[in-house]
Amino acid sequence: ATATATATTTATMDIPLFSLDALAESDERVPCVTNLEAPGLGFLDPSSGSEDLAAESKIEVPLWLGSVLHSKKMARIELPKHYQTSYREHVESGPASVNLRERSVHYFTVGGELAKMRVDDALQNTLRFAFSGERFKDLMDLAYNSTTEDVSEKIRPLTDVERTLFYSGYRASNEFVAWKMRSSRNLLVSSAATSNGHATKRQK
């Protein structure tokens, strides 16, 4: 129990407390299988009536705690269903049409952490393929070409990191349009104040 408390404190200190997104991501629950018995932690397994957590127990814990248990070899992190092979094949067959947000608001960031912890190249490749292909192209096209549209429905399926990218591109596009309008107004004023390219002299 002491070791668990120490690990908990260490993991909490590693989380950037100023980042609400990081806190939300680290709190996403992931399945684990314990490698050893843990006295007094039976509450982590609701199906167990014991005070102690038996070895090979299947539990769900926040990502930050799962990371600590995994690094100390106290448990093995398993993949949630939406990161397993069958769902990854579904994603790879048409990533632009899949509502990943329904599965996880932080699908790419949490998936990246899981791939890193498990040294899972196949998962990493799926995430890279899904993020950088047609899905990314559609996202950027929407961001740069929808300055006068209501896009609330179109961005609904996007994960948090994709929404961040979208809003960044959307703001940049709007700022560029506003800059062009200001430049046009300045040119019109300049043309009106001149005659044949030369400033008109005030008539006395």
Side-chain angles (χ1 to χ4, degrees), residues 2-196:
T2 303
T4 302
T6 302
T8 300
T9 303
T10 302
T12 303
M13 291 175 65
D14 287 341
I15 298 172
L17 297 179
F18 54 83
S19 171
L20 294 178
D21 285 341
L23 286 171
E25 291 162 16
S26 67
D27 204 42
E28 187 152 328
R29 301 184 75 79
V30 294
C32 293
V33 179
T34 58
N35 290 330
L36 43 80
E37 183 178 353
L41 295 181
F43 66 89
L44 290 175
D45 182 5
S47 66
S48 171
S50 172
E51 290 186 5
D52 302 330
L53 186 65
E56 297 301 316
S57 294
K58 294 182 179 181
I59 59 175
E60 278 198 355
V61 297
L63 178 63
W64 65 264
L65 180 55
S67 175
V68 173
L69 298 176
H70 181 80
S71 66
K72 295 182 178 297
K73 305 200 182 300
M74 297 169 67
R76 310 183 298 278
I77 284 192
E78 302 287 299
L79 291 177
K81 289 182 179 179
H82 47 275
Y83 293 113
Q84 292 177 9
T85 303
S86 58
Y87 191 78
R88 294 209 310 262
E89 290 175 350
H90 173 56
V91 171
E92 290 173 359
S93 66
S97 62
V98 180
N99 188 339
L100 295 177
R101 191 179 182 87
E102 281 186 344
R103 301 297 176 174
S104 171
V105 172
H106 311 288
Y107 190 85
F108 290 107
T109 46
V110 170
E113 286 299 313
L114 291 172
K116 184 167 63 176
M117 282 188 277
R118 291 167 49 88
V119 194
D120 191 334
D121 291 338
L123 173 56
Q124 189 67 58
N125 289 338
T126 296
L127 294 172
R128 187 180 297 111
F129 173 78
F131 184 80
S132 63
E134 199 69 23
R135 193 178 178 94
F136 182 78
K137 178 178 174 291
D138 291 348
L139 185 156
M140 288 292 97
D141 181 63
L142 181 64
Y144 291 127
N145 297 291
S146 59
T147 54
T148 60
E149 299 177 29
D150 178 3
V151 297
S152 55
E153 286 299 317
K154 293 181 180 178
I155 66 171
R156 191 182 298 277
L158 300 180
T159 64
D160 271 14
V161 68
E162 290 174 312
R163 286 191 181 187
T164 298
L165 281 172
F166 167 79
Y167 284 124
S168 178
Y170 186 79
R171 282 193 300 270
S173 181
N174 275 278
E175 289 169 0
F176 179 65
V177 169
W179 175 81
K180 285 203 301 183
M181 291 178 66
R182 286 196 301 272
S183 296
S184 296
R185 284 199 298 269
N186 290 337
L187 287 172
L188 288 172
V189 170
S190 178
S191 298
T194 62
S195 175
N196 296 324

